Amino acid sequence: MPPDDASSAGPDPSPSPGPGRVESLVTAPEGGAPPVRRDAVKIRPDGVEGDRYRRGDGHFQLDGCAVTLVAAEALDAVREETGVDVRDGRHRRNVVVDGFGPGLDPLLDATVAVGDARLRPVRRRPPCAHLADIAGEEGLAAALRDRGGLCCDVVEPGRVAVGDPVTVREADPRTAGAAIAERLADRAKGDGESPSDAH
């Protein structure tokens, strides 16, 4: 049987951690509109179909994100600490992912497969007072501090559905560079020891 494409493409670049999964999907058709939970969405090159930021109607349009992620673990922590449950979508992030910790640290600057789409989280998306006002929950912004999610560029558009896997396809450049440097250092160390082994 001939090898499939994955086996002929060289080493698999999919590092740990992962995989995670898509726990829920949220859009809002315009700024200030109630969030809508979705079973599936289409991610276009410029954002999520049906979402306010793709339509150019987000409250923070000048600092808008094509796609936003937030951790299910972060929303669980907010509920445990404050009693406020925003898993109904009032967090106003597009994709809730489970499996990477409350801050989504492993995903920042990596290339991430989310369903059929590929995203690159480029910066953190801290919450603001406007989020708390719309959600009707005083203190929500403070509760989400340091775990308000990530702002993503779209590398490849695609369909995303609840339950889809979330995997790191390429590590962020810093992590990848550190791993390469470590391998080179180990190789140099091994080469340096080999002459003494011959005596």
Side-chain angles (χ1 to χ4, degrees), residues 4 11-12 28-29 44 49 54 64 67 70 75 80 87 92-93 95-96 116 123 128 153 157 171-172 192:
D4 60 24
D12 184 356
R44 303 297 189 186
E49 194 170 276
R54 183 169 185 259
V67 182
V70 71
L75 304 182
E80 290 171 10
R87 291 175 301 172
R92 304 185 78 80
R93 304 301 188 247
V95 185
V96 179
D116 294 335
R123 66 181 187 275
C128 61
D153 291 342
D172 70 273

Side-chain angles (χ1 to χ4, degrees), residues 10 13 37 55 64 70 72 74 81 87 92 104 109 114-115 131 144 165 171 187 192-193 195 198-199:
R37 292 190 57 165
R55 291 167 46 103
V70 71
E81 293 170 13
R87 291 175 301 172
R92 304 185 78 80
L104 297 177
D109 292 323
V114 183
L131 174 66
L144 279 170
R187 184 179 300 164
E193 292 172 356
H199 293 312

Side-chain angles (χ1 to χ4, degrees), residues 84-194:
V84 176
D85 189 349
V86 292
R87 291 175 301 172
D88 57 2
R90 288 181 296 159
H91 50 78
R92 304 185 78 80
R93 304 301 188 247
N94 299 128
V95 185
V96 179
V97 300
D98 183 32
F100 296 96
L104 297 177
D105 294 340
L107 303 187
L108 190 60
D109 292 323
T111 300
V112 183
V114 183
D116 294 335
R118 298 291 183 274
L119 306 177
R120 181 168 294 122
V122 293
R123 66 181 187 275
R124 300 195 183 280
R125 188 66 166 171
C128 61
H130 180 67
L131 174 66
D133 291 343
I134 291 179
E137 297 289 357
E138 185 176 348
L140 178 59
L144 279 170
R145 187 175 295 123
D146 299 324
R147 51 194 178 198
L150 303 177
C151 185
C152 303
D153 291 342
V154 178
V155 178
E156 293 179 21
R159 182 180 183 274
V160 178
V162 172
D164 277 352
V166 179
T167 57
V168 176
R169 302 307 300 164
E170 295 178 20
D172 70 273
R174 294 183 303 275
T175 301
I180 291 169
E182 185 176 339
R183 285 197 300 271
L184 291 174
D186 289 345
R187 184 179 300 164
K189 182 179 176 184
D191 291 346
E193 292 172 356
S194 56

